[in-house]
Amino acid sequence: TMFPELSAAADCNLGIPMLVVGCKADQLEHVESSVDLELVQYALRTFCLAHGAGLVYCSTRSGSNLTAVSHAIHHMLWATPPLPEPQVVERYALVVPSGWDSVHNISIVTTDKPTQPLAAAIPDPAAAKGPAPTTGGGEGGAEEEADDKALLTEIQEALAKDATATRFSSVSKKPSALDAPAEREAPVASKPVAPAAAAG
C-alpha cells in the first residue's frame, strides 16, 4: 500500500462526520526514529484530509486527549461543545479537528514526500521485536498482567460496594409521602348483640 496522495480536495468525503482516533499514543514515546513518527502522522493526516475527518491521538494510560475525543464526538452528534483546539506541536498528543487541516499544514510535517510503500517506509514493530511473549512470560507481560488484575480487583470491589449499598437502602428505606399508599384493610363488621331475655 502506497502513501495516500496529498490533495487539497476532500476526494473521498462520504458526507458524514468522521473521527480517526489513534489509541495508545503513549507507546509512541518508545519509537526510536522521529522519521517514523513523521511518516505516520503524514499518512494519517493525508487520509483524514481526503475524507473530511478529524484526527486525535489519545492514551487512557496517561489520560492524554480523552476530553478532546469526547468533545469531538459530542460535536459531531449534537454540534456542541465546540471542536477541540488544534494541537500539532506535541507529536504524541495530536489534535486535528475536522476542516482545520490543509495541504500546507501537512506538507511541513516531513521534508520529503514519501515515495515508497508504507511497509517499506515504516517497518512493523512486531516483526522487528520478534514474536510476542506469552502471558506472564516476561517482565513486560507480567507487568501488564498485574495491571489487568489490579484493575479487575478494583472493579470487583466497586461492584461489591454498590451491591451492599443497594441492599442496605432497600432494607432501611422508610415510607414517605411519595410512596404509593398501602391498601387499607376493610373494616370488620361487628355483630349486633342480642338483647337479654326478660326474667319472667
Side-chain angles (χ1 to χ4, degrees), residues 8 23 42 45-47 63 67 70 75 114 125 139 153 155 161 163 173 183:
C23 302
Y42 180 92
R45 290 176 64 178
T46 301
F47 173 88
T67 302
S70 176
H75 182 85
E139 294 182 359
T153 301
I155 295 174
K161 290 181 180 179
K173 182 180 179 182
E183 296 183 0

Side-chain angles (χ1 to χ4, degrees), residues 14-37:
L14 302 178
I16 58 175
M18 294 179 61
L19 178 66
V20 176
V21 179
C23 302
K24 297 186 177 181
D26 57 287
Q27 298 298 318
L28 294 176
E29 298 179 0
H30 304 294
V31 177
E32 299 179 356
S33 174
S34 60
V35 177
D36 291 348
L37 294 176

Side-chain angles (χ1 to χ4, degrees), residues 17-192:
M18 294 179 61
L19 178 66
V20 176
V21 179
C23 302
K24 297 186 177 181
D26 57 287
Q27 298 298 318
L28 294 176
E29 298 179 0
H30 304 294
V31 177
E32 299 179 356
S33 174
S34 60
V35 177
D36 291 348
L37 294 176
E38 294 173 355
L39 293 178
V40 170
Q41 182 183 157
Y42 180 92
L44 289 175
R45 290 176 64 178
T46 301
F47 173 88
C48 291
L49 179 64
H51 289 78
L55 173 64
V56 179
Y57 282 9
C58 71
S59 169
T60 55
R61 175 167 293 184
S62 64
S64 172
N65 281 344
L66 299 182
T67 302
V69 173
S70 176
H71 284 185
I73 294 175
H74 280 75
H75 182 85
M76 289 189 300
L77 295 175
W78 300 290
T80 182
L83 283 172
E85 293 293 328
Q87 198 292 116
V88 293
V89 177
E90 178 56 54
R91 62 179 65 186
Y92 308 127
L94 283 180
V95 178
V96 183
S98 175
W100 176 86
D101 223 346
S102 65
V103 172
H104 172 73
N105 292 337
I106 299 175
S107 63
I108 62 179
V109 171
T110 181
T111 55
D112 298 323
K113 181 183 179 300
T115 57
Q116 53 187 334
L118 283 168
I122 306 173
D124 186 358
K129 293 181 180 180
T134 57
T135 304
E139 294 182 359
E143 182 180 354
E144 185 174 354
E145 184 178 358
D147 292 342
D148 293 341
K149 288 183 178 179
L151 176 60
L152 293 175
T153 301
E154 183 179 349
I155 295 174
Q156 184 178 12
E157 293 176 352
L159 292 175
K161 290 181 180 179
D162 291 343
T164 303
T166 302
R167 288 197 301 268
F168 179 79
S169 176
S170 61
V171 171
S172 61
K173 182 180 179 182
K174 297 181 179 180
S176 64
L178 299 179
D179 295 334
E183 296 183 0
R184 297 180 178 179
E185 297 181 356
V188 180
S190 57
K191 297 181 179 180

